[in-house]
């Protein structure tokens, strides 16, 4: 198994940039540790490390919107990866947008671009 | 000036994904702190924070290969940004490759893809 430089950061985490395989659109960024990396390679589904929950995180575990790995790129320092994925459900962001990067800097404001693909209240079963 | 959530990480740094504006290709990932963010917005040239040198880093300072900001996207949590840039000199990676992500995972190996755009020894003036 290809080894990454998890030791470079104090917390053993490195960033994973997530791109839609078909279009190259950047969908999100999350963090992986050694366990996430191994689980991702073993299963073909993107696994991250949740910094808030301090736990292994199979993306789509609750929503069913998993990310199927199509290709992985590794950077020159072995401390960042790109997961090129097929995003089931069509949206990667917990807000329901296709990409977490749905806001563009325009002067001193952030302008929302791109429609919501799903309603988070329905997908995650929360009424708020 | 739009504020980002630099407080989220212990070291005050958040990742900046760098994309080629014209094609969407991911060129590199680097880190920014509040000072880098301000300098980037003020100058229109990508500034990062060098974790190894612990110093503000104008990308291209020594090589002349600066990154001209064309568009900036901000994620849902205000803790990751995308710089969409015009990369002067044609290559973002210190190895001379266009992108730092020039290796693809194939089984248990990393396969090099993409040609070198420049010779680092010539650009950075080091004989090794």
């Amino acid at each position: 198994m290809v080894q990454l430089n998890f030791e470079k950061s104090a917390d053993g985490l490195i960033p994973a940039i997530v791109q839609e395989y078909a279009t190259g659109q950047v969908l999100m960024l999350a963090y992986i540790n050694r366990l996430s990396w191994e689980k991702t390679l073993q299963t073909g589904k993107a696994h991250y490390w949740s910094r808030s929950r301090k736990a292994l995180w199979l993306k789509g575990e609750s929503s069913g919107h998993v990310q199927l790995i199509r290709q992985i790129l590794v950077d020159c320092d072995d401390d960042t990866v790109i997961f090129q994925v097929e995003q089931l459900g069509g949206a990667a962001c917990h807000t329901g947008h296709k990409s977490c990067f749905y806001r563009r800097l325009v002067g001193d404001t952030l302008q929302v671009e791109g429609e919501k693909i799903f309603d988070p209240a329905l997908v995650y079963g929360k009424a708020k």
Side-chain angles (χ1 to χ4, degrees), chain A:
Chain A
M1 185 174 285
V2 166
Q3 297 302 314
L4 303 175
N5 190 359
F6 293 108
E7 295 74 21
K8 190 157 178 178
S9 69
D11 54 11
L13 300 177
I14 68 172
I17 300 166
V18 186
Q19 271 186 307
E20 184 176 50
Y21 179 63
T23 67
Q25 183 178 358
V26 176
L27 300 177
M28 56 181 273
L29 179 140
Y31 293 86
I32 61 171
N33 61 5
R34 194 180 307 276
L35 178 61
S36 322
W37 176 239
E38 290 172 359
K39 288 285 184 188
T40 298
L41 297 187
Q42 286 164 6
T43 64
K45 296 175 183 171
H47 287 70
Y48 305 104
W49 184 257
S50 167
R51 294 187 296 172
S52 54
R53 292 189 288 115
K54 295 182 172 45
L56 186 70
W57 167 31
L58 166 60
K59 169 75 177 168
E61 197 165 17
S62 54
S63 66
H65 297 174
V66 302
Q67 295 174 333
L68 304 178
I69 300 287
R70 291 290 175 238
Q71 191 158 268
I72 294 178
L73 305 176
V74 177
D75 83 332
C76 51
D77 292 326
D78 299 324
D79 63 2
T80 307
V81 296
I82 294 179
F83 287 172
Q84 294 180 335
V85 305
E86 179 185 342
Q87 173 66 64
L88 299 190
C93 187
H94 72 287
T95 62
H97 289 89
K98 178 176 179 181
S99 165
C100 292
F101 299 92
Y102 61 89
R103 296 177 303 165
R104 185 162 71 90
L105 186 69
V106 180
D108 280 343
T109 62
L110 292 175
Q111 186 172 298
V112 173
E113 301 189 339
E115 292 173 51
K116 285 198 180 189
I117 304 289
F118 66 75
D119 178 349
L122 296 178
V123 167
Y124 297 109
K126 291 172 188 168
K128 58 179 176 180

